[in-house]
Amino acid sequence: QWKQKNLDSYFVSAFFLGEEFSSGSKDWQFDFYEPDKDKVVSFVYGKDLPIKEEEVFKKTKDAIPELALDNIKVDLEKSINIFENIKKSKHPGEIATKKLFILQVLEGKAVWNITYISSAFNILNIKIDALSGDVLSESFSSVLSFKDKERSKG
């Protein structure tokens, strides 16, 4: 019903944050961009009403690019397998306490942006091309390093 009243809006991202992901999870948030208002409207899976409408956080005044479903050939399960293989080979001792999955457009590509926060307060982030399955970037850092950076600025 909302989409019928907001014809110019379009799908821009999907988001999940939790301790464990399962294929039946219903905790997904879906975001739609309203270009005429420059706002994002978010819905939670299974709920009819939007949960929020927010100003867009972005570096430029450009519209947020549409996330075209045709550009997604690698599903979340395969992306998680790619992520887990990298984690096991490079960071085998890390135990994830929070997992964040975002499907979005970055630099013109549909991307699975996956982040694990470990019990040791480390962050592993890997971006995977949702069309090809190629790993676009990976980073590993400590949450505590952000605190150290803030101290050095002050």
Side-chain angles (χ1 to χ4, degrees):
Q1 292 173 341
W2 178 87
K3 180 66 175 142
Q4 291 172 347
K5 293 177 185 174
N6 297 277
L7 296 175
D8 291 339
S9 66
Y10 52 86
F11 180 53
V12 294
S13 67
F15 170 87
F16 173 88
L17 172 66
E19 293 177 18
E20 196 58 47
F21 173 77
S22 68
S23 59
S25 176
K26 299 197 186 313
D27 294 327
W28 281 93
Q29 175 179 307
F30 299 93
D31 300 322
F32 292 81
Y33 180 62
E34 294 180 298
D36 55 330
K37 296 179 183 177
D38 198 28
K39 292 190 177 194
V40 171
V41 177
S42 302
F43 294 84
V44 172
Y45 180 82
K47 308 257 183 188
D48 289 336
L49 301 174
I51 59 165
K52 60 186 169 182
E53 180 179 279
E54 295 182 319
E55 298 291 325
V56 178
F57 176 73
K58 57 185 178 171
K59 293 178 183 178
T60 68
K61 296 208 179 256
D62 297 336
I64 297 174
E66 181 174 4
L67 178 58
L69 298 179
D70 292 343
N71 292 333
I72 303 166
K73 302 294 182 205
V74 177
D75 65 15
L76 180 58
E77 300 287 337
K78 181 164 174 130
S79 295
I80 290 172
N81 287 338
I82 293 166
F83 185 99
E84 287 290 341
N85 287 335
I86 292 169
K87 182 183 140 330
K88 285 176 189 171
S89 68
K90 295 185 177 180
H91 310 285
E94 296 296 320
I95 299 168
T97 57
K98 290 287 183 195
K99 298 178 180 180
L100 171 67
F101 305 96
I102 305 171
L103 178 61
Q104 63 189 143
V105 175
L106 294 174
E107 297 177 6
K109 294 182 179 186
V111 173
W112 286 107
N113 185 350
I114 303 174
T115 303
Y116 283 11
I117 302 172
S118 77
S119 56
F121 298 106
N122 290 318
I123 300 170
L124 175 59
N125 174 261
I126 299 175
K127 293 178 179 71
I128 300 165
D129 188 311
L131 187 62
S132 67
D134 293 339
V135 174
L136 301 173
S137 70
E138 65 178 272
S139 65
F140 182 78
S141 60
S142 170
V143 171
L144 302 176
S145 69
F146 294 113
K147 189 175 183 180
D148 292 339
K149 288 178 186 175
E150 288 301 314
R151 281 188 189 159
S152 66
K153 287 181 186 178

